[in-house]
Amino acid sequence: MSTARERILEATGELLATQDALAISTRAICERAKVGAPEIYRQFGDKQGLLTAVADIGFERFLAEKRRNPLTDDPVADLRTAWDSHVAFALRNPHLYRLMFTPTGDAKPQAIKEAQAILLKAVERCRDAGCLRTAPELAGQSILSANVGVCMTALSFPELFQDPAISHAVRDAVVGKVTGDEREDARIGEATVLAQALLGTLTGTAPVAPAALDDLKDALRQPLPDA
């Protein structure tokens, strides 16, 4: 038989499947979990504590998928596979992903450190293969920042940025920059600009203007040149 804590976590996760975390009321959680309101505070301290616990569970699922990514003899190709699996998780779990990667309050999901560690190992494989231009730590941070930025933009502006070609263009720009495996694609310059702009938006240093988003979206959706 499930405990009250388990039922609350399960109920919150179910509600997150269709609603943003900020839109979910404690009353709705309690009704779904069949517990009284004081139980949330007894188990988690407050609603923010509950959401942090749910984000941690989301990271467990996210990291489990990361660990299942296949390893090949091409570590750069494996980086691209890891990028694509990250985006796929975000698109399948939009509200949970936002909760995981844009936490509010002082409590932050600590599993982000394990996500960084998994990516660092993937980058170190590139270094060991002689195809890394920068320090592994910086390369991993750059890739993760751009990956999260692409996902957040796709979730916030799905009508503009859910085309897989856009994610692939930014992926190739960032991975190519740190590994030297830069592909001949006229869109890479625009993709690099978008990756930098996304990072600026996430850190609050240089938000992307709506007109710039439209211009970058149009540039990235241009077809590849004929070989």
Side-chain angles (χ1 to χ4, degrees):
M1 184 175 179
S2 61
T3 65
R5 182 183 181 88
E6 290 170 339
R7 294 199 306 276
I8 292 169
L9 289 169
E10 181 179 2
T12 308
E14 290 172 351
L15 291 168
L16 270 174
T18 58
Q19 301 176 58
D20 185 75
L22 295 178
I24 299 174
S25 67
T26 54
R27 178 179 178 180
I29 295 170
C30 292
E31 289 178 351
R32 198 176 191 94
K34 295 181 171 56
V35 298
E39 193 66 29
I40 289 181
Y41 298 93
R42 189 173 75 84
Q43 295 287 343
F44 302 97
D46 55 19
K47 182 183 177 183
Q48 187 57 53
L50 167 60
L51 293 177
T52 299
V54 172
D56 283 332
I57 293 173
F59 266 109
E60 289 175 8
R61 290 171 48 196
F62 176 76
L63 294 172
E65 291 188 15
K66 285 289 185 185
R67 297 187 194 99
R68 288 195 294 270
N69 284 336
L71 296 181
T72 70
D73 293 333
D74 186 344
V76 177
D78 292 346
L79 276 181
R80 292 191 172 94
T81 297
W83 175 291
D84 293 341
S85 71
H86 184 134
V87 173
F89 180 92
L91 295 181
R92 289 197 311 273
N93 306 279
H95 304 299
L96 175 61
Y97 185 87
R98 284 196 185 95
L99 177 63
M100 290 163 55
F101 284 95
T102 57
T104 59
D106 295 331
K108 310 291 184 184
Q110 294 303 300
I112 185 67
K113 296 178 180 177
E114 187 173 350
Q116 287 181 305
I118 291 174
L119 181 54
L120 179 60
K121 288 182 179 179
V123 171
E124 288 174 339
R125 291 183 65 231
C126 295
R127 178 201 59 194
D128 295 343
C131 49
L132 193 65
R133 285 179 168 179
T134 187
E137 293 79 6
L138 178 59
Q141 290 168 344
S142 300
I143 293 169
L144 184 58
S145 296
N147 211 169
V148 173
V150 163
C151 293
M152 289 299 183
T153 307
L155 297 180
S156 299
F157 304 97
E159 70 284 2
L160 297 177
F161 288 98
Q162 274 200 7
D163 185 341
I166 295 173
S167 173
H168 294 166
V170 179
R171 176 199 66 191
D172 292 344
V174 176
V175 172
K177 190 69 175 177
V178 301
T179 64
D181 185 28
E182 294 169 309
R183 300 181 172 187
E184 292 297 324
D185 184 341
R187 302 171 302 170
I188 292 301
E190 287 85 357
T192 302
V193 172
L194 177 57
Q196 294 169 340
L198 292 172
L199 180 56
T201 296
L202 287 174
T203 60
T205 57
V208 186
L213 288 177
D214 289 338
D215 291 343
L216 287 166
K217 175 261 296 184
D218 292 340
L220 290 169
R221 281 182 169 162
Q222 293 300 315
L224 289 170
D226 295 332

